[in-house]
Amino acid sequence: MPPTGAHQQLIQQEFLKQAESFASIPNIADPTRAARLKDAVAPSSTDTILEIAAGPGYVAIGFAPHVKEVVGVDVTEKMLEIANRNKDARGIINVSFMRVDIESESGLPFSPNTFDAAVCRLAFHHFKDPTRVLARMAAAVKPNGLVAIEDMVGSGISSRRDYQDRWETMRDPSHTKVMTLAEFADAFASCGLDVETVKTDRIEQNVARWFRTTETSPEVQKEVVALLEADMQVDFDRRLKLWRNY
């Protein structure tokens, strides 16, 4: 299914460019980090799992030994190519990947109440309408099924969140915004989902690698580093510790 809309075209453009580098980022490829959504869901051997924005497939692969079946969807053909390559290299037969634009009018090509759980890692900050995506994930799971999301979290102070979104978008134009914990809670409630567990931690980025992944121009790199340095000097947002090793 081809992507629809200017933003989905932008995602296609960015992740066609980023795909191979993104798939080799240590925090992305690390199987212990990829397994965190599996641990949160705690699936049984009879479960079927849906992964949204499956990217290089590491989360789906992490679920594979523990469930009956995993279906991963992504809008980017290059990411699906990498995901299938990773799956085949491991001899996994209960995982499949397909091209789906979850933000299109048609949404997911599955009947309601199909899956035991739906998961998504590090993609909600790319969605134009994350609540709509969450609603489609909720509709895809069975009654008493689970929805698990892992993503960046923005400051509840709007000026701080806006500051982060500013340099995130400069580096990767397909970024939309980081959601706050309160926004995630509101989105879950609006989709008829109760929030059972919230876990947070920190990930320190190597900024040189961070720029290489998105092939950020030297001029934009300079601007982003200036924003990060200004943040560090004035302690604008204590949460953002992303300026190491540039």
Side-chain angles (χ1 to χ4, degrees):
M1 178 185 300
T4 59
H7 183 68
Q8 295 305 85
Q9 295 289 346
L10 182 58
I11 290 175
Q12 282 281 102
Q13 173 184 315
E14 286 298 315
F15 280 91
L16 174 62
K17 177 176 67 177
Q18 297 179 33
E20 294 288 354
S21 181
F22 179 86
S24 64
I25 295 172
N27 286 331
I28 298 299
D30 181 357
T32 61
R33 295 200 68 87
R36 292 191 304 175
L37 285 174
K38 182 269 295 180
D39 294 340
V41 171
S44 74
S45 60
T46 59
D47 282 352
T48 56
I49 307 297
L50 171 66
E51 184 187 5
I52 301 300
Y58 298 125
V59 171
I61 288 167
F63 270 98
H66 308 280
V67 301
K68 179 181 178 181
E69 182 184 9
V70 188
V71 178
V73 303
D74 201 286
V75 72
T76 307
E77 193 67 51
K78 182 62 177 179
M79 281 297 190
L80 294 171
E81 176 186 317
I82 295 171
N84 278 307
R85 187 173 72 207
N86 287 332
K87 176 195 72 170
D88 293 343
R90 293 162 174 82
I92 295 171
I93 60 173
N94 64 334
V95 174
S96 60
F97 296 104
M98 58 190 300
R99 190 179 187 189
V100 173
D101 179 0
I102 192 172
E103 293 203 89
S104 70
E105 287 303 314
S106 55
L108 292 169
F110 311 112
S111 299
N113 309 325
T114 296
F115 298 92
D116 295 286
V119 303
C120 182
R121 179 170 76 142
L122 299 177
F124 265 63
H125 60 278
H126 290 289
F127 295 140
K128 292 291 286 184
D129 190 345
T131 300
R132 187 185 193 192
V133 172
L134 186 62
R136 288 175 168 178
M137 294 174 68
V141 300
K142 300 172 183 176
N144 300 316
L146 294 175
V147 175
I149 307 297
E150 179 181 349
D151 203 19
M152 300 187 297
V153 175
S155 173
I157 301 170
S158 60
S159 59
R160 289 181 175 178
R161 195 260 297 276
D162 292 347
Y163 193 84
Q164 180 180 0
D165 282 335
R166 179 182 174 189
W167 47 258
E168 288 281 7
T169 305
M170 290 170 66
R171 185 191 69 93
D172 182 352
S174 68
H175 175 90
T176 54
K177 74 171 186 176
V178 287
M179 295 176 67
T180 67
L181 283 175
E183 287 172 335
F184 271 113
D186 287 345
F188 269 69
S190 72
C191 297
L193 298 168
D194 284 323
V195 177
E196 295 184 352
T197 305
V198 176
K199 296 181 180 180
T200 64
D201 69 356
R202 295 171 181 260
I203 298 176
E204 291 189 344
Q205 298 279 12
N206 179 303
V207 174
R209 175 61 187 265
W210 191 57
F211 285 137
R212 286 199 302 272
T213 298
T214 50
E215 299 183 7
T216 306
S217 71
E219 295 78 15
V220 174
Q221 288 187 39
K222 184 176 180 180
E223 293 180 58
V224 172
V225 167
L227 290 172
L228 295 174
E229 288 180 332
D231 183 6
M232 182 166 56
Q233 290 168 7
V234 301
D235 199 22
F236 186 76
D237 189 338
R238 296 168 192 258
R239 294 182 319 96
L240 305 180
K241 303 297 182 185
L242 297 169
W243 45 76
R244 287 195 171 189
N245 302 323
Y246 59 79

